Amino acid sequence: MNNQELIARSSRVFINTYSRYPAAMVEGKGCVLKDADGREYLDFLSGIAVCSLGHCHPAVTEAICDQAGRLLHVSNLYHTLSQTELAELLIENSFAERIFMCNSGAEANEAAIKLARKYSPAGKYEIISLEGSFHGRTLAAVSATGQPKFHQGFEPLPEGFVHAPFGDLAALEKMISAKTCAVLCEPLQGEGGVRPMPKEYLAGIRELCDRHQLLLIFDEVQVGMGRTGTLFAYEQLGIIPDIMTLAKALANGLPIGALLTTEGVAAAFTPGSHASTFGGNPVVCAAGKVVVETMLADGFLEGVKAKGKYLAGRLAELASRYPRIAGEVRGMGLIQGLLLTPEYVDRGPAIVNKLFEAGILANFAGNVALRFLPPLIVTEEEIDRLAAALDKIFGEIS
Ligand SMILES: *Cc1c(COP(=O)(O)O)cnc(C)c1O
């Protein structure tokens, strides 16, 4: 079965929710994917920040096979060791004291929204999130998402979500009312165009939350789990949230989501408040445990920081060589965005297609930035290959 045959079959059966690239992937190893025609791709997207240890990391595969041979699923009516081990690791290495496990980023944010409402006094249910944010596709998560294009056609949306303009603390303060229960934000907006939150802005939000007794929820679904060079992005920002959500890279490709919080906030949930049939599945958690252990091993996160710097440097070089095409480089660790100039911003998708044709996977985020999310095991040599491909493309289109 080659690309063309597989694509034809898939196009006949799936609801048309994705505009996919013309490749059917069959194999992956490290930073390289192979399609059904035998063509190889250097992956600077990692399944959208998911396969952070690289494709088919041997220790993850071994943990999955081993656990699958013993116990696949029991539901949350019973305890399992692998679930508890992953929970302990995440709690020991974060601000949190309690965890809830689910299956995706949207679900983790749903849990956070429910927990914030349950924790808060009656009548306090409104959540302030930011314009340009992305929090998932379920109805509540999409309502929290501050991008109108994701809302269109799905109204009426659930009540209780308002969006503050990004970067404007005074505007956010004005939106706080007797109904507000929480502020939800990404420490760095991924889908919104690789846009970091300035430190003083975040500190201001934390201060407002404290003053008005609001919960601060960090959506670290994309930037958590080593992506920024620390296990969690908040560690570099000097701000501690009350609730943090995780998903994407937590099990290197198996579906998982998690909500982490303090003892005091967690106490608002009691048996029956919230649940998930699959959440914290033993196999998924066995993979998650290997992910956390690998990321915490000596030198791993320092390596992410160093390679992130290297990638940002190579992108900045390109921006200075092609100032008509590219400008600012922004990001943290190994989530980096190269902003296109107003003159070239419409060419973003075309540049990504040219990269694809050159055998490199990346994407265009927030209609502003070429976004690079390589596996955290990427090498400088692989980063050089990306830079060379971009150099060639920019040369052609300039
Ligand atoms: C991807 C993403 C989500 C949604 O995660 P799903 O697993 O697709 O539901 C939520 N928040 C952020 C910041 C994300 O990047």
Side-chain angles (χ1 to χ4, degrees), residues 104-106 109 134-136 186 191 219 221-222 248:
S104 68
N109 286 331
F134 183 81
H135 299 296
E186 300 154 85
E191 300 308 306
D219 177 344
V221 166
Q222 183 159 154
K248 291 195 164 90

Side-chain angles (χ1 to χ4, degrees), residues 47-288:
I48 320 184
V50 169
C51 301
S52 282
L53 298 185
H55 295 282
C56 300
H57 187 284
V60 174
T61 303
E62 191 190 330
I64 291 171
C65 293
D66 179 58
Q67 181 61 48
R70 282 182 293 124
L71 184 69
L72 212 56
H73 174 82
V74 289
S75 86
N76 284 299
L77 296 175
Y78 310 97
H79 300 265
T80 64
L81 177 62
S82 82
Q83 192 184 71
T84 304
E85 284 179 332
L86 176 60
E88 285 172 349
L89 272 172
L90 289 170
I91 282 169
E92 280 159 20
N93 291 288
S94 71
F95 72 94
E97 295 153 329
R98 293 278 166 178
I99 185 168
F100 175 85
M101 289 183 186
C102 51
N103 315 285
S104 68
E107 267 184 76
N109 286 331
E110 289 278 334
I113 293 162
K114 288 179 73 175
L115 181 59
R117 287 186 174 187
K118 192 106 187 345
Y119 172 79
S120 304
K124 283 185 173 288
Y125 57 85
E126 196 168 79
I127 294 185
I128 303 174
S129 54
L130 301 183
E131 286 176 5
S133 62
F134 183 81
H135 299 296
R137 304 294 199 133
T138 56
L139 272 173
V142 90
S143 301
T145 293
Q147 300 188 60
K149 67 175 179 188
F150 294 118
H151 300 160
Q152 278 154 20
F154 302 115
E155 298 89 353
L157 297 174
E159 236 187 285
F161 297 92
V162 290
H163 307 106
F166 187 95
D168 187 342
L169 193 63
L172 191 149
E173 183 167 19
K174 270 204 205 114
M175 295 177 105
I176 298 172
S177 74
K179 292 187 290 188
T180 314
C181 71
V183 176
L184 164 64
C185 59
E186 300 154 85
L188 177 154
Q189 291 187 346
E191 300 308 306
V194 192
R195 182 157 64 161
M197 283 181 78
K199 269 190 183 177
E200 326 74 67
Y201 179 41
L202 257 181
I205 292 179
R206 175 75 268 182
E207 195 271 322
L208 281 178
C209 286
D210 292 341
R211 184 141 42 92
H212 296 272
Q213 294 180 309
L214 312 177
L215 295 175
L216 178 57
I217 306 168
F218 275 1
D219 177 344
E220 290 219 20
V221 166
Q222 183 159 154
V223 296
M225 301 316 298
R227 177 58 55 187
T228 65
T230 44
L231 196 56
F232 308 110
Y234 80 83
E235 297 172 55
Q236 290 176 65
L237 301 168
I239 297 293
I240 296 178
D242 302 296
I243 297 175
M244 171 172 71
T245 55
L246 299 174
K248 291 195 164 90
L250 183 47
N252 208 52
L254 292 188
I256 188 167
L259 173 159
L260 289 100
T261 189
T262 60
E263 191 76 54
V265 175
F269 272 177
T270 52
S273 296
H274 195 52
S276 167
T277 298
F278 290 117
N281 171 286
V283 176
V284 177
C285 288

